[in-house]
Structures are given as structure tokens and as C-alpha cells.
Amino acid sequence: MTDGAPLLEVANLRVGFPTRTGMTEAVRGVSFTLGREKLGIVGESGSGKSMTGRSILRLVPPPGRVAADRLAFNGEDLLAASERRMRDIRGRRIAMVMQDPKYSLNPVMTVGRQIAEAYRVHSRAGAAEARRRALEMLAAVRIRDPERVYDRYPHEVSGGMGQRIMIAMMLIPDPDLLIADEPTSALDVTVQMQVLAILDDLCSRRGMGMIFVSHDLNLVASFCDRILIMYAGRVVESCRASELHAARHPYTRGLLASLPRLDGTGGDLPVLSRDPAWAASGPMDGVDG
Ligand SMILES: Nc1ncnc2c1ncn2[C@@H]1O[C@H](COP(=O)(O)OP(=O)(O)OP(=O)(O)O)[C@@H](O)[C@H]1O
Ligand SMILES: [Mg+2]
């Protein structure tokens, strides 16, 4: 660990999948650094958001290949770390809420026990203490009857509850960095706001850094400090959330123009046009770089 190093450094990250016809490039040279802040990643389906998040934890599914000029957490080279070291980092230091929470939960273990185990692995707490902490965490993600939900199996909970259970499980070891991939997409608006408030509170109170992946430009703009816009495996624009309205890249401008207006004055929604040149060009830095 190096003093003064940013929480996360990513330089020229590339992710490829070998196919019969050659390599499919899912991520094509993504670079950014992250401090103890909330970084939003937006972009259309298939633009490489999830693969960017997963490569940080070396969880790109095989036969995917990850390469980077630099991929470092607190100054430590993640690409050079042993698998044993990565297991230590995953969960305890960097946690990830996957896009499909139900697939990440063990189907034959009650959700409460899974959260308690996640706590015990890293804290060596006793069973009673772990159970108490797990119940607290379920309550913290606004699950109304934690005692009852504790004893349920993953197939017995709704999609929205599954997302909150995953968030509880990822936050219980107190990570320094949380990668949240569409963590609130299955939640209704009020619960979504409550869960975001919990995440926001953890970031500011504990100084946790966060990467928040979403399709929802409005949500990211109001929740995050900084935004990366991805298109076809590249970052086409990066800006402060507060400067998003001044974004210059035509893809970002197209996304902004296609947001529906609440007052209904927007008329027909414009169709997003695309230019093959966007996939070839480098990032366009926002107003503050
Ligand atoms: N197992 C795989 N084999 C081959 N290619 C893959 C595989 N998984 C992902 N890809 C490729 O990686 C690209 C990026 O995928 P990724 O999951 O990162 O997109 P995303 O931005 O998260 O999309 P979404 O918004 O739909 O979640 C896809 O377009 C796809 O071509
Ligand atoms: Mg995804």
C-alpha cells in the first residue's frame, strides 16, 4: 500500500473475448482514477460498463481476457496480485454488487446466514454477533421484517429485496470501494431513493469510494460526483455531474436530449443518432477535465 495513492487507478484497460471470428473487444482502452468519491458510469447496453467493473476484481468470466497499463488499488497492482490475495481484497476491501443479484446468492443457504457468513469471513466474529450484525444490516437497507427475511431462501424473495440483500451482504465487511452494477434497477422509486441515501451516507461518513453503473443518466447525475459516458467499449466523455448539461460529445448530447421531460413539453422523443467515428476516437474531457 502506498500513501497518497488514489483509491483506484485504471489506465488503458482492455477486455476481450476470443470468438471463432477473432477477438470481440468489450472494453477498449478505458482510463480513470477514483478517490473517495462517487463515480457514475453510464452508457447503452453492451457498451462495456459491467466488464469495466468486473475487471477491477478480476471477475471477468472466462474466456474473457483483461489487460491494462495500470490497474491499482491503493497503489497495489491488481493484475499482478495472487489469486489468494485477490480473494482477500474481494469483499473486504473492494465489494461488488453484481447486476443480477439472484445469481450471486447461494440458492441453498438462507439469505440471513449468507450475510452473517460474509461478516464472519472477514471479522472472525462469533455466530451470535454475526447474526446480530446481519439483522442490523437488513434493517439498514430498509427491509421491514429482518427477523423473517433472515430465514428465507433466495428464491423466496422478490427481485427488489434480492438487490437490497446483496447490498447488505456487500456492505457488511465495511469495504473501501464499492462497485455497484445497476444496484437499484429492480427497486421502485421510493425504495430506490432510500437505498441511494444509505449508500450516499456510507460514502460520506466512512469515506468509501464508489463506482455506480447505471443506464439512468438522470439518476447518476443527481447521485454521483463525476460521470464517465461509455460508448462501444470506450469512455467518450468524462465530466463533473454538475457540469453534465454542458457536455460536448454528440453521444452525451443525444442522451441528454432524449430524456423525457416531466412537464410533458418535450414533444416526441428524439431518436438517438450514432456516428461510427465515436467508437474510434478517444475520450472527450468535460469542462473540468
Ligand atoms: N461471455 C461473453 N462472451 C463474449 N462477449 C461478451 C461476453 N460477455 C460480454 N461480452 C461482450 O462485452 C460487451 C460489453 O458487455 P458489458 O456486460 O460490459 O455491457 P454493459 O455496458 O454492462 O451492458 P448492460 O447495460 O446491458 O448491462 C458486450 O457488448 C458483449 O459483446
Ligand atoms: Mg451490465
Side-chain angles (χ1 to χ4, degrees), residues 65-79:
R65 296 200 195 126
V66 178
D69 292 350
R70 184 154 175 82
L71 188 61
F73 173 68
N74 271 328
E76 178 176 352
D77 184 350
L78 293 176
L79 289 180

PDB file of all heavy atoms in Angstrom, residues 65-79:
ATOM      1  N   ARG A  65     -10.434 -11.945 -21.513  1.00  0.00           N
ATOM      2  CA  ARG A  65      -9.062 -11.598 -21.132  1.00  0.00           C
ATOM      3  C   ARG A  65      -8.981 -10.127 -20.776  1.00  0.00           C
ATOM      4  O   ARG A  65      -9.554  -9.289 -21.459  1.00  0.00           O
ATOM      5  CB  ARG A  65      -8.114 -11.884 -22.283  1.00  0.00           C
ATOM      6  CG  ARG A  65      -8.087 -13.358 -22.586  1.00  0.00           C
ATOM      7  CD  ARG A  65      -6.860 -13.752 -23.352  1.00  0.00           C
ATOM      8  NE  ARG A  65      -7.092 -15.084 -23.896  1.00  0.00           N
ATOM      9  CZ  ARG A  65      -6.966 -15.395 -25.165  1.00  0.00           C
ATOM     10  NH1 ARG A  65      -6.550 -14.478 -26.032  1.00  0.00           N
ATOM     11  NH2 ARG A  65      -7.225 -16.604 -25.586  1.00  0.00           N
ATOM     12  N   VAL A  66      -8.256  -9.847 -19.705  1.00  0.00           N
ATOM     13  CA  VAL A  66      -8.121  -8.481 -19.210  1.00  0.00           C
ATOM     14  C   VAL A  66      -6.666  -8.049 -19.326  1.00  0.00           C
ATOM     15  O   VAL A  66      -5.765  -8.802 -18.971  1.00  0.00           O
ATOM     16  CB  VAL A  66      -8.553  -8.393 -17.727  1.00  0.00           C
ATOM     17  CG1 VAL A  66      -8.377  -6.988 -17.190  1.00  0.00           C
ATOM     18  CG2 VAL A  66      -9.995  -8.851 -17.571  1.00  0.00           C
ATOM     19  N   ALA A  67      -6.441  -6.831 -19.834  1.00  0.00           N
ATOM     20  CA  ALA A  67      -5.093  -6.260 -19.859  1.00  0.00           C
ATOM     21  C   ALA A  67      -5.204  -4.779 -19.539  1.00  0.00           C
ATOM     22  O   ALA A  67      -6.251  -4.167 -19.768  1.00  0.00           O
ATOM     23  CB  ALA A  67      -4.461  -6.460 -21.240  1.00  0.00           C
ATOM     24  N   ALA A  68      -4.154  -4.221 -18.972  1.00  0.00           N
ATOM     25  CA  ALA A  68      -4.162  -2.790 -18.672  1.00  0.00           C
ATOM     26  C   ALA A  68      -2.735  -2.316 -18.496  1.00  0.00           C
ATOM     27  O   ALA A  68      -1.859  -3.099 -18.119  1.00  0.00           O
ATOM     28  CB  ALA A  68      -4.959  -2.507 -17.398  1.00  0.00           C
ATOM     29  N   ASP A  69      -2.491  -1.044 -18.774  1.00  0.00           N
ATOM     30  CA  ASP A  69      -1.180  -0.478 -18.469  1.00  0.00           C
ATOM     31  C   ASP A  69      -1.033  -0.344 -16.959  1.00  0.00           C
ATOM     32  O   ASP A  69       0.048  -0.513 -16.407  1.00  0.00           O
ATOM     33  CB  ASP A  69      -1.013   0.895 -19.134  1.00  0.00           C
ATOM     34  CG  ASP A  69      -0.952   0.775 -20.651  1.00  0.00           C
ATOM     35  OD1 ASP A  69      -0.847  -0.373 -21.135  1.00  0.00           O
ATOM     36  OD2 ASP A  69      -1.032   1.807 -21.342  1.00  0.00           O
ATOM     37  N   ARG A  70      -2.147  -0.034 -16.283  1.00  0.00           N
ATOM     38  CA  ARG A  70      -2.134   0.002 -14.834  1.00  0.00           C
ATOM     39  C   ARG A  70      -3.532  -0.271 -14.295  1.00  0.00           C
ATOM     40  O   ARG A  70      -4.523   0.253 -14.803  1.00  0.00           O
ATOM     41  CB  ARG A  70      -1.652   1.376 -14.337  1.00  0.00           C
ATOM     42  CG  ARG A  70      -1.512   1.447 -12.823  1.00  0.00           C
ATOM     43  CD  ARG A  70      -0.497   2.499 -12.395  1.00  0.00           C
ATOM     44  NE  ARG A  70      -0.431   2.651 -10.946  1.00  0.00           N
ATOM     45  CZ  ARG A  70       0.263   1.865 -10.134  1.00  0.00           C
ATOM     46  NH1 ARG A  70       0.972   0.869 -10.625  1.00  0.00           N
ATOM     47  NH2 ARG A  70       0.267   2.070  -8.832  1.00  0.00           N
ATOM     48  N   LEU A  71      -3.582  -1.119 -13.268  1.00  0.00           N
ATOM     49  CA  LEU A  71      -4.832  -1.390 -12.577  1.00  0.00           C
ATOM     50  C   LEU A  71      -4.425  -1.539 -11.114  1.00  0.00           C
ATOM     51  O   LEU A  71      -3.895  -2.570 -10.715  1.00  0.00           O
ATOM     52  CB  LEU A  71      -5.467  -2.678 -13.119  1.00  0.00           C
ATOM     53  CG  LEU A  71      -6.880  -3.004 -12.630  1.00  0.00           C
ATOM     54  CD1 LEU A  71      -7.868  -1.923 -13.009  1.00  0.00           C
ATOM     55  CD2 LEU A  71      -7.353  -4.337 -13.198  1.00  0.00           C
ATOM     56  N   ALA A  72      -4.588  -0.475 -10.342  1.00  0.00           N
ATOM     57  CA  ALA A  72      -4.038  -0.481  -8.990  1.00  0.00           C
ATOM     58  C   ALA A  72      -5.058   0.017  -7.978  1.00  0.00           C
ATOM     59  O   ALA A  72      -5.804   0.958  -8.231  1.00  0.00           O
ATOM     60  CB  ALA A  72      -2.783   0.390  -8.931  1.00  0.00           C
ATOM     61  N   PHE A  73      -5.072  -0.665  -6.812  1.00  0.00           N
ATOM     62  CA  PHE A  73      -5.947  -0.302  -5.703  1.00  0.00           C
ATOM     63  C   PHE A  73      -5.053   0.105  -4.537  1.00  0.00           C
ATOM     64  O   PHE A  73      -4.211  -0.681  -4.105  1.00  0.00           O
ATOM     65  CB  PHE A  73      -6.819  -1.504  -5.331  1.00  0.00           C
ATOM     66  CG  PHE A  73      -7.651  -1.303  -4.103  1.00  0.00           C
ATOM     67  CD1 PHE A  73      -8.694  -0.380  -4.107  1.00  0.00           C
ATOM     68  CD2 PHE A  73      -7.396  -2.021  -2.953  1.00  0.00           C
ATOM     69  CE1 PHE A  73      -9.459  -0.182  -2.973  1.00  0.00           C
ATOM     70  CE2 PHE A  73      -8.160  -1.829  -1.818  1.00  0.00           C
ATOM     71  CZ  PHE A  73      -9.197  -0.911  -1.824  1.00  0.00           C
ATOM     72  N   ASN A  74      -5.185   1.358  -4.082  1.00  0.00           N
ATOM     73  CA  ASN A  74      -4.303   1.869  -3.027  1.00  0.00           C
ATOM     74  C   ASN A  74      -2.837   1.673  -3.382  1.00  0.00           C
ATOM     75  O   ASN A  74      -2.014   1.363  -2.524  1.00  0.00           O
ATOM     76  CB  ASN A  74      -4.572   1.139  -1.709  1.00  0.00           C
ATOM     77  CG  ASN A  74      -5.657   1.819  -0.901  1.00  0.00           C
ATOM     78  OD1 ASN A  74      -5.793   3.048  -0.954  1.00  0.00           O
ATOM     79  ND2 ASN A  74      -6.408   1.045  -0.164  1.00  0.00           N
ATOM     80  N   GLY A  75      -2.508   1.795  -4.659  1.00  0.00           N
ATOM     81  CA  GLY A  75      -1.137   1.640  -5.097  1.00  0.00           C
ATOM     82  C   GLY A  75      -0.706   0.201  -5.368  1.00  0.00           C
ATOM     83  O   GLY A  75       0.394  -0.034  -5.845  1.00  0.00           O
ATOM     84  N   GLU A  76      -1.582  -0.765  -5.053  1.00  0.00           N
ATOM     85  CA  GLU A  76      -1.216  -2.183  -5.246  1.00  0.00           C
ATOM     86  C   GLU A  76      -1.693  -2.669  -6.620  1.00  0.00           C
ATOM     87  O   GLU A  76      -2.860  -2.518  -6.979  1.00  0.00           O
ATOM     88  CB  GLU A  76      -1.870  -3.032  -4.144  1.00  0.00           C
ATOM     89  CG  GLU A  76      -1.580  -4.513  -4.288  1.00  0.00           C
ATOM     90  CD  GLU A  76      -2.172  -5.324  -3.125  1.00  0.00           C
ATOM     91  OE1 GLU A  76      -2.665  -4.744  -2.143  1.00  0.00           O
ATOM     92  OE2 GLU A  76      -2.127  -6.566  -3.225  1.00  0.00           O
ATOM     93  N   ASP A  77      -0.771  -3.283  -7.350  1.00  0.00           N
ATOM     94  CA  ASP A  77      -1.058  -3.770  -8.708  1.00  0.00           C
ATOM     95  C   ASP A  77      -1.995  -4.981  -8.646  1.00  0.00           C
ATOM     96  O   ASP A  77      -1.609  -6.050  -8.194  1.00  0.00           O
ATOM     97  CB  ASP A  77       0.274  -4.151  -9.370  1.00  0.00           C
ATOM     98  CG  ASP A  77       0.088  -4.570 -10.821  1.00  0.00           C
ATOM     99  OD1 ASP A  77      -1.074  -4.740 -11.258  1.00  0.00           O
ATOM    100  OD2 ASP A  77       1.109  -4.717 -11.513  1.00  0.00           O
ATOM    101  N   LEU A  78      -3.218  -4.797  -9.129  1.00  0.00           N
ATOM    102  CA  LEU A  78      -4.200  -5.886  -9.030  1.00  0.00           C
ATOM    103  C   LEU A  78      -3.967  -6.977 -10.065  1.00  0.00           C
ATOM    104  O   LEU A  78      -4.312  -8.133  -9.835  1.00  0.00           O
ATOM    105  CB  LEU A  78      -5.624  -5.330  -9.184  1.00  0.00           C
ATOM    106  CG  LEU A  78      -6.129  -4.427  -8.059  1.00  0.00           C
ATOM    107  CD1 LEU A  78      -7.508  -3.887  -8.391  1.00  0.00           C
ATOM    108  CD2 LEU A  78      -6.159  -5.164  -6.730  1.00  0.00           C
ATOM    109  N   LEU A  79      -3.381  -6.620 -11.191  1.00  0.00           N
ATOM    110  CA  LEU A  79      -3.151  -7.638 -12.222  1.00  0.00           C
ATOM    111  C   LEU A  79      -2.029  -8.582 -11.812  1.00  0.00           C
ATOM    112  O   LEU A  79      -1.984  -9.731 -12.251  1.00  0.00           O
ATOM    113  CB  LEU A  79      -2.850  -6.991 -13.575  1.00  0.00           C
ATOM    114  CG  LEU A  79      -4.045  -6.299 -14.253  1.00  0.00           C
ATOM    115  CD1 LEU A  79      -3.642  -5.701 -15.589  1.00  0.00           C
ATOM    116  CD2 LEU A  79      -5.214  -7.257 -14.432  1.00  0.00           C
TER     117      LEU A  79
END
